[in-house]
Amino acid sequence: TYAYISANGAIISETVSMNLGYHANPRIVGICTAIFVASVLWLSSLAASRITSLFLGLKVISFVTVFGSFLFQGGYSILRDGTSSTAGTSYFPYIFMGLPVCLASFGVHGNIPSLIICYGEREDKLLTSVVFWSLLALLIYLSWLYCT
């Protein structure tokens, strides 16, 4: 958590400096961020859930906005590297380097205990949630790979 807050302070400070010309101290911005996050969590976990949903929605909208136009520019020959000038080269082995990223992107290692608390004894709901969000993360990564 400390890494996120300190990085967030530096990012917001630089963004404000570039866009508004005002230099904000990254440590103070980080402290303000920590106070904001702590107060939201103190008020209600439901508020934290709603803010997380809002940011997730904004991420999806920005992803579609940025990469949406690229979906129509890709081609199968590029993906299979059919136009490569070097014989025997292929992108296929590199898929396995991206596999751990795709598997870990859902964050199962950190979310499973919370999901167990949330769903209790309803294992079918837990399994459905993990499978659905893992497939969604995989779909987003495959779209990203296709577009780039």
Side-chain angles (χ1 to χ4, degrees):
T1 304
Y2 171 75
Y4 291 123
I5 291 172
S6 62
N8 188 29
I11 291 169
I12 291 174
S13 174
E14 285 295 318
T15 303
V16 167
S17 177
M18 286 186 334
N19 293 324
L20 302 177
Y22 172 76
H23 178 70
N25 186 343
R27 287 185 180 182
I28 292 178
V29 174
I31 290 170
C32 291
T33 301
I35 290 170
F36 172 73
V37 170
S39 58
V40 167
L41 290 174
W42 181 68
L43 287 172
S44 165
S45 62
L46 181 60
S49 175
R50 294 219 170 125
I51 289 174
T52 301
S53 297
L54 171 72
F55 284 132
L56 179 63
L58 291 173
K59 280 180 166 181
V60 169
I61 289 169
S62 64
F63 177 81
V64 169
T65 302
V66 170
F67 290 107
S69 63
F70 293 134
L71 282 173
F72 304 109
Q73 295 177 3
Y76 181 70
S77 64
I78 295 170
L79 292 176
R80 67 177 173 85
D81 198 22
T83 60
S84 176
S85 60
T86 309
T89 60
S90 173
Y91 290 131
F92 182 73
Y94 299 106
I95 290 174
F96 299 107
M97 291 179 7
L99 192 59
V101 175
C102 293
L103 294 175
S105 62
F106 176 59
V108 173
H109 62 281
N111 291 339
I112 290 293
S114 298
L115 290 172
I116 290 172
I117 291 169
C118 179
Y119 291 127
E121 297 294 321
R122 297 176 297 184
E123 292 178 16
D124 58 324
K125 292 273 190 184
L126 176 67
L127 183 63
T128 302
S129 175
V130 170
V131 168
F132 175 76
W133 290 109
S134 296
L135 289 174
L136 180 63
L138 178 64
L139 177 70
I140 290 170
Y141 272 105
L142 290 175
S143 300
W144 177 73
L145 288 172
Y146 180 78
C147 292
T148 57

